[in-house]
Amino acid sequence: MRALPLATLAWQFRECAGGPWRPARVPGCVHTDLLAAGAIPDPFWGTNEAGLQWIDERDWEYAADFEVGAELLGEEVVDLVADGLDTVATVRLNGRLVARTENMFIGHRWDVRRLLRPGKNTLAIRLDSATRYIRTHRTSHRPREINDPVGGCTAIRKEQCQFGWDWGPRFVTAGIWRDIRLEGWSGNRLAGVAVAQDHRRDGSVTLTISHELARPDPQSRVRWRIRVGARAVSLGDGPSIVIRDPLLWWPNGQGDQPLYDLEVDILDGSGKLIGTWARRIGLRTVSLQQRRDKWGKSFQFAVNGRAIFAKGANWIPAHSFVAGLDRGAYARDLGAAAAANMNMVRVWGGGIYESEDFYDLCDELGLLVWQDFMFACTLYPGDKAFVDSSRDEARFQVRRLRHRACLALWCGNNEVWSINAHELTDPKKKALRADYDRLFHAALPGVVEEFGGGTPYWPSSPWRGNEATDHAAGEARGDSHYWDVWHGRNPVKDYEKWSFRFASEFGMQSYNSPATQATFCPPEDANIFGASMENHQKNKGGNQVVLDYVTRRYRMPKDQDGLIYLSQLNQVYCVQTGIEHYRRNMPRCMGSLYWQLNDCWPVASWSSIEFTGRWRALHHAVRRLYAPALVSAHVPGDEIFGTSNCRSSTVRLVHLHTSYDGPAPGQGVLVWDLFHLDGTVLQGGRKKVELRPMQSVLQKTLDLAGPIAKHGRERIYLRIALDIAGRRASQETVFLTPPRFIDLPKARTKVSIRMKAPRYAVAGFTSPVFQHRFAFDFAGLSFAAGDNFFDLYPGEQKLVEVDFMARVTGSILRKSLTCRSLADTY
Ligand code: BMA
């Protein structure tokens, strides 16, 4: 095979209706090309989004010249290979039509040899307006919209959240969004390889290789080489490889992630090489176990036969302009996911099938991938062309990703069933139901069955194996999205009402840090309810919801920075209540994937990592909450506001639980101390505890009626902790009343900074009084801190390791340090 890369050519683009040719980037899109040309302002700044909606109403053309040599023309076939065109494309080579496309998620291969000529050739790709396509196609398909403010996005196979989402701007892109090249070949071409793994009882693994050729050839044979780490290469002939002492791949926290380099040569009958397939694979089994039990049916992932509690978050596209994102763009947030003790990410169905870099990183970091097909929320058409295209898309993506160690599940869609169930179960709307079933219960599972190599298929998220959409059904079977907190504005403690088998979405919004806010918000328009901030809040009424929850728990902040900080603390409180509850409910509950890990632009959102990469308070908290050993308090009851806002509380008992999902048993010491705000320890205790894998245990119940009566619930707080081998593995503060009723003392924090290397320091913080969610920052410096937004207890020093992106000195650090804790917000 002889390849000629085309992405690296000197591409140009212009508006079809006329306009200057300008330099373009491939892979890329028209928005980023216009930006690079200085033709549009920063789409993320202020309210600029609204002024850029003309872009997707126009048609665009991309073109490049290239030379073709005699060798390439000497091949029997020369394929034009386009891994992704966005979306309504007409491809012409030297003025002659090659193909038209209308599905962003399919890779294409067209034989263009007869259109090529020696010397100079011109490839031109016209990209018609996707919004016009929607207005003129499938016009009878006009379902109730959930996210797209203009409407119609489900009529086209294109990244759905580009049309606007409750965290995403509307930028409907066009472009050559993945690699493009010529591939010349003669005789035959290797079209695909599948590797099946058989994990035997004796511990060995047998790999069975099957291959597919462009021209089927029964004489063709297999030759392979395989290697892991420093072990010598083994090689052999034939479709089967026996590995007697395999190194197994495990999810993060359960073991290592050894990846085998596998190279497969396919030879023709005469021994001539047809093609080579080289990939990194992990040796593991993954299954979705659904076994009858006393609660209904389990919903749990098992890797190498070991049940795993899925700890993770939902992944959305890493950028509003996804074309051409590199490994670094993914490494930042996936690295942060692994650093926060996650073992799973859900690639949510309103985005894209991610790039190879994304799945490489998940393989390396031990992040299992719950992979949605790209359908979300709103009903999809069921015409033949649409279903055929969706099936082709599924075939392309399943075959592309099936060898991945990280791949745990194919899921039909996000919430299309749960949001539209009332219509889909309406006997008067049988055709709607038939359309739904054709796609999600026939076409997609058919492809996964045929090409997926055993990866399980799940029709929708959430789904309970039958038509049920109520919370009670989720307590018995399947996976659940829980939005009564946030969208339903229910009390935060309502998380604890439901014992879901698997929580695949739940979350709470917060605002961006002031540093991230400064990247999109004109300083003169920074009011939360002003035009710029409202444009960076995409959930209808979202700012009111944030304020509602913030003020249920905290006092009115004195300034906007205080509000931002409180919104992040509130986000921690809410997601923490969910995560702790789900972990305490193990093994009935076997997964906690909060909404959402990342952002695609800077926006008020549910993410734990801001678009700029800064960790919100939540991400620091999640690292603690997803640690293998967790101590948590279940505090039944709540503060009650009765007639005339008369306050009372039923909070009195504190149940201390340990939850543990490490691979090997261990022992720990549970420690609790009841503090008075004046710093004295009123009472305390400790208990030796056994930590068994996949067990959550109620270890101790404290009845605090006495101290509450004596001191007042506003003047005491409880510290709970779990020590393992003398190290504090988990620690948290329990309040017996919302913090707004606690008069937290203020005091100066003593700070020590020790430089250990030019980019590495250890900071020490000591406060004479209790400080809640103490947060520090080094203004203007990029750094990663081992912990932040933690509690300081009177007189106890907290040491934090800090890595800086550039060289720093102790004096620079001391000058740029800023600190705050809850008491500083009012
Ligand atoms: C879920 C998701 C998204 C949405 C999020 C927040 O239901 O599947 O569609 O962005 O909630 O509302």
Coordinates of all heavy atoms in Angstrom, one line a residue, residues 147 165-167 346 348 376-377 414-415 419 481 483 486-487 505 539 595-596 606, ligand 1:
N147 N -33.2 20.3 23.3 CA -32.0 21.1 23.5 C -31.7 22.1 22.3 O -31.3 23.2 22.6 CB -30.7 20.2 23.6 CG -30.7 19.5 24.9 OD1 -30.5 20.0 26.0 ND2 -31.0 18.2 24.9
W165 N -26.8 23.2 23.4 CA -27.2 22.3 24.5 C -27.3 23.1 25.8 O -27.1 24.3 25.8 CB -26.1 21.2 24.6 CG -26.7 19.9 24.9 CD1 -26.9 19.3 26.1 CD2 -27.4 19.0 24.0 NE1 -27.5 18.1 26.0 CE2 -27.9 17.9 24.7 CE3 -27.6 19.0 22.6 CZ2 -28.5 16.8 24.0 CZ3 -28.2 18.0 22.0 CH2 -28.7 16.9 22.7
D166 N -27.6 22.4 26.9 CA -27.8 23.2 28.1 C -26.5 23.5 28.8 O -26.5 24.0 29.9 CB -28.9 22.6 29.1 CG -28.6 21.2 29.5 OD1 -27.5 20.7 29.2 OD2 -29.4 20.6 30.3
W167 N -25.4 23.3 28.1 CA -24.1 23.7 28.5 C -23.2 24.1 27.3 O -22.1 24.5 27.5 CB -23.3 22.6 29.3 CG -23.6 21.3 28.7 CD1 -24.4 20.3 29.2 CD2 -23.1 20.7 27.5 NE1 -24.5 19.2 28.4 CE2 -23.6 19.4 27.3 CE3 -22.2 21.2 26.5 CZ2 -23.4 18.6 26.2 CZ3 -21.9 20.3 25.4 CH2 -22.5 19.1 25.3
R346 N -18.1 7.8 30.7 CA -19.2 7.6 29.7 C -19.1 8.6 28.6 O -19.3 9.8 28.8 CB -20.6 7.6 30.4 CG -21.7 7.6 29.5 CD -23.1 7.4 30.1 NE -24.1 7.6 29.2 CZ -25.0 8.6 29.2 NH1 -25.1 9.5 30.1 NH2 -26.0 8.6 28.3
W348 N -20.8 10.4 26.2 CA -22.2 10.7 26.1 C -22.7 10.9 24.7 O -21.9 11.4 23.9 CB -22.4 11.9 27.0 CG -23.7 12.7 26.8 CD1 -24.9 12.4 27.3 CD2 -23.8 13.9 26.0 NE1 -25.8 13.3 26.9 CE2 -25.2 14.2 26.1 CE3 -23.0 14.7 25.3 CZ2 -25.7 15.3 25.5 CZ3 -23.5 15.8 24.7 CH2 -24.9 16.1 24.8
A376 N -29.1 11.6 21.1 CA -29.4 12.1 22.4 C -30.8 12.8 22.5 O -31.0 13.7 21.7 CB -28.3 13.0 22.9
C377 N -31.5 12.5 23.5 CA -32.6 13.2 24.0 C -33.9 13.3 23.2 O -35.0 13.1 23.6 CB -32.2 14.7 24.4 SG -31.0 14.7 25.8
N414 N -28.6 8.4 24.5 CA -28.8 9.1 25.7 C -30.2 9.6 25.9 O -30.6 10.5 25.1 CB -27.8 10.2 25.8 CG -28.1 11.1 27.0 OD1 -27.9 10.7 28.2 ND2 -28.7 12.3 26.8
E415 N -31.0 9.0 26.8 CA -32.3 9.6 27.2 C -33.3 9.6 26.2 O -34.4 10.3 26.4 CB -32.1 10.9 27.9 CG -31.3 10.9 29.1 CD -31.2 12.2 29.9 OE1 -31.6 13.2 29.3 OE2 -30.7 12.3 31.0
I419 N -36.9 10.3 28.0 CA -37.6 11.6 27.8 C -38.9 11.5 27.0 O -39.8 12.2 27.2 CB -36.6 12.6 27.1 CG1 -35.5 13.0 28.0 CG2 -37.4 13.8 26.6 CD1 -34.5 13.9 27.5
H481 N -30.7 7.9 35.6 CA -30.3 9.3 35.6 C -31.1 10.0 36.7 O -32.3 9.8 36.7 CB -30.5 10.0 34.3 CG -29.7 9.5 33.2 ND1 -29.6 10.1 31.9 CD2 -28.9 8.4 33.1 CE1 -28.8 9.4 31.1 NE2 -28.3 8.3 31.8
W483 N -32.2 13.5 38.2 CA -32.2 14.9 38.1 C -33.2 15.6 39.0 O -33.5 16.8 38.7 CB -32.3 15.3 36.6 CG -31.1 15.1 35.9 CD1 -30.8 14.0 35.0 CD2 -29.8 15.8 35.9 NE1 -29.5 14.1 34.5 CE2 -28.9 15.2 35.1 CE3 -29.4 16.9 36.7 CZ2 -27.6 15.7 34.9 CZ3 -28.1 17.4 36.5 CH2 -27.2 16.8 35.6
W486 N -31.3 19.5 41.1 CA -31.0 20.4 40.0 C -32.3 20.6 39.2 O -33.0 21.5 39.5 CB -29.9 20.0 39.1 CG -29.7 21.0 38.0 CD1 -30.3 21.0 36.7 CD2 -29.1 22.3 38.1 NE1 -30.0 22.1 36.0 CE2 -29.3 23.0 36.9 CE3 -28.5 23.0 39.1 CZ2 -28.9 24.3 36.6 CZ3 -28.0 24.3 38.9 CH2 -28.2 24.9 37.6
H487 N -32.6 19.8 38.2 CA -33.7 20.2 37.3 C -35.0 20.2 38.1 O -35.9 21.1 37.9 CB -33.9 19.2 36.2 CG -32.8 19.3 35.1 ND1 -32.6 20.5 34.4 CD2 -31.9 18.5 34.7 CE1 -31.6 20.4 33.6 NE2 -31.1 19.1 33.7
E505 N -26.0 9.2 35.7 CA -26.0 10.7 35.6 C -26.6 11.3 36.8 O -27.7 10.9 37.2 CB -26.8 11.2 34.4 CG -26.1 11.3 33.1 CD -26.9 12.0 32.0 OE1 -27.8 12.8 32.3 OE2 -26.7 11.7 30.8
N539 N -28.4 26.6 30.6 CA -29.6 26.0 31.1 C -30.6 27.0 31.4 O -30.4 28.0 32.1 CB -29.2 25.2 32.4 CG -30.4 24.3 32.8 OD1 -30.3 23.1 32.7 ND2 -31.4 24.8 33.3
W595 N -22.5 13.8 36.3 CA -22.6 14.7 35.2 C -21.9 16.0 35.6 O -22.4 16.6 36.5 CB -24.0 14.9 34.8 CG -24.1 15.7 33.5 CD1 -24.2 17.1 33.5 CD2 -24.0 15.2 32.2 NE1 -24.2 17.5 32.1 CE2 -24.1 16.4 31.4 CE3 -23.9 14.0 31.6 CZ2 -24.0 16.2 30.0 CZ3 -23.8 13.9 30.3 CH2 -23.9 15.0 29.4
Q596 N -20.8 16.4 35.0 CA -20.1 15.9 33.9 C -18.6 16.2 34.1 O -18.3 17.1 35.0 CB -20.6 16.7 32.6 CG -20.1 18.1 32.6 CD -21.0 19.1 31.8 OE1 -22.1 19.3 32.2 NE2 -20.4 19.8 30.9
W606 N -22.1 21.8 35.0 CA -22.0 20.7 35.9 C -20.6 20.1 36.0 O -20.4 19.1 36.7 CB -23.0 19.6 35.6 CG -24.5 20.1 35.5 CD1 -25.4 20.0 36.6 CD2 -25.2 20.7 34.5 NE1 -26.6 20.5 36.2 CE2 -26.5 20.9 34.9 CE3 -24.8 21.1 33.2 CZ2 -27.5 21.5 34.1 CZ3 -25.8 21.7 32.3 CH2 -27.1 21.9 32.8
Ligands
BMA1 C1 -28.5 15.0 31.0 C2 -27.6 14.8 29.8 C3 -27.6 16.0 29.0 C4 -27.7 17.3 29.8 C5 -27.5 17.1 31.2 C6 -27.8 18.3 32.0 O1 -29.7 14.5 31.0 O2 -27.9 13.7 29.2 O3 -28.5 16.0 27.9 O4 -26.8 18.2 29.3 O5 -28.4 16.2 31.7 O6 -29.1 18.8 31.9

